[in-house]
Amino acid sequence: MSSRTVVLVPKHRMLRRTLYGLLLAAPLLPGGLACGGEEVGFVCEPDYSALNLGPIAVQADGGFPRPCGLCPPHPDGVSNWGCSTAGTADGGADLICHYQSCFGDGRRPEGLREAAVLDSGSELGALFAKAAWLEAASVPAFLRLAEELQTHGAPEELVKAARRSAGDEVRHTRAMQALARRHGADMPEVDLPPFEPRSLEEMLRENAVEGCVRETFGAFVAGWQGRTARDPEVRSTLRAIARDELRHAELAWAVDAWAQEHLSAAQREGLRQSRREALRILGEEVDGHHPPEPLIHDAGLPSLAQAQALFQGLAAVGLQA
């Protein structure tokens, strides 16, 4: 039996039923009309991909800096992914801040420092470069989870599943890097401080937020992209990634289930509260989701209405646990 067919953690049947139901209904979820009036299954969301902040100072060598730190948070909560400059008629330059929604966050490790994707002139390139960065950051997150599970006496199946997930994320990083390079973008470096020891409760709280909520939603979005992306290479890549991400989500829920026997009633309630708060925050981010049209069309990102439907599916799973 190959390693790709080994089942290390039980399937989360409610999670799978919810996800498969949403994906089967993909063509039926709210889509609206395209800009040209032809019904194609996605909406013309407002394009929040760029914001011109006006003139910036010229450097001594005649070049222009890229002070991405000057870019403010977008009022609708859309992620800031970097900046570029645009020449003006008087020889100066304007600072352009780039904003794009980012779903499929995966398991962000504690202390991960945000990175800006250098401007490639391509929204798709920026999307895939940031996705590759997030996949790369998930590798140490899973290795840490495996080590901590072993330290806290978790079943060997959970430890092995966490290590296997780290290997999955290495493959995902390479796949997303390939898509990014195809569109002229490079993955930024992962800047992560050394991990410090933490308690079982702290580990489980991160698992509840990053695994049961964000990673599970990432699996939903990857599944959606693998079904709806018009670019065949993107669709094929995300379909393979989505299968792994679903197993990663199931690992998070399996860790959560194992934890119930090792925590007090107050600690268990604390975990539920952490999960509910993470759902609330993610719901606000979803409501501010306004992806540019190319990301809906070619990359398969869900539109606002579709993302809200996916989130409602996640909430149904998360709130009943």
Side-chain angles (χ1 to χ4, degrees), residues 3 28 30 35 88 108 139 168 179 187 191 244 249 280 321:
S3 60
L28 305 178
C35 297
T88 57
R108 281 176 177 254
V139 176
D168 292 338
L179 288 177
M187 183 189 86
D191 186 1
D244 292 338
R280 183 191 65 79

Side-chain angles (χ1 to χ4, degrees), residues 175-195:
M176 299 312 295
Q177 278 183 302
L179 288 177
R181 292 193 191 104
R182 175 183 158 196
H183 293 278
D186 292 316
M187 183 189 86
E189 292 185 7
V190 174
D191 186 1
L192 189 63
F195 293 134

Side-chain angles (χ1 to χ4, degrees), residues 247-258:
R247 286 191 292 99
H248 299 176
E250 289 176 323
L251 169 61
W253 285 100
V255 170
D256 190 81
W258 165 76

Side-chain angles (χ1 to χ4, degrees), residues 41-63:
F42 59 86
V43 296
C44 294
E45 300 287 356
D47 185 352
Y48 289 131
S49 60
L51 175 65
N52 190 327
L53 287 192
I56 58 174
V58 180
Q59 294 178 318
D61 61 2

Side-chain angles (χ1 to χ4, degrees), residues 32-171:
L33 298 178
C35 297
E38 180 184 0
E39 191 168 350
V40 294
F42 59 86
V43 296
C44 294
E45 300 287 356
D47 185 352
Y48 289 131
S49 60
L51 175 65
N52 190 327
L53 287 192
I56 58 174
V58 180
Q59 294 178 318
D61 61 2
F64 301 104
R66 285 186 172 179
C68 297
L70 297 178
C71 294
H74 196 278
D76 285 334
V78 182
S79 299
N80 174 7
W81 282 11
C83 66
S84 60
T85 55
T88 57
D90 60 3
D94 288 346
L95 172 64
I96 311 297
C97 300
H98 298 272
Y99 298 90
Q100 294 175 343
S101 297
C102 180
F103 284 136
D105 273 356
R107 187 178 284 263
R108 281 176 177 254
E110 180 183 24
L112 179 64
R113 299 184 179 99
E114 191 67 27
V117 175
L118 295 179
D119 179 55
S120 65
S122 166
E123 292 169 329
L124 286 168
L127 175 75
F128 299 137
K130 189 63 176 285
W133 175 78
L134 289 166
E135 300 284 8
S138 294
V139 176
F142 276 115
L143 291 176
R144 184 191 196 187
L145 176 64
E147 181 178 331
E148 290 181 322
L149 285 170
Q150 190 167 46
T151 298
H152 292 297
E156 186 63 21
E157 290 76 11
L158 296 182
V159 177
K160 289 181 178 179
R163 289 176 180 152
R164 174 184 176 181
S165 297
D168 292 338
E169 299 294 11
V170 172
R171 289 188 289 101

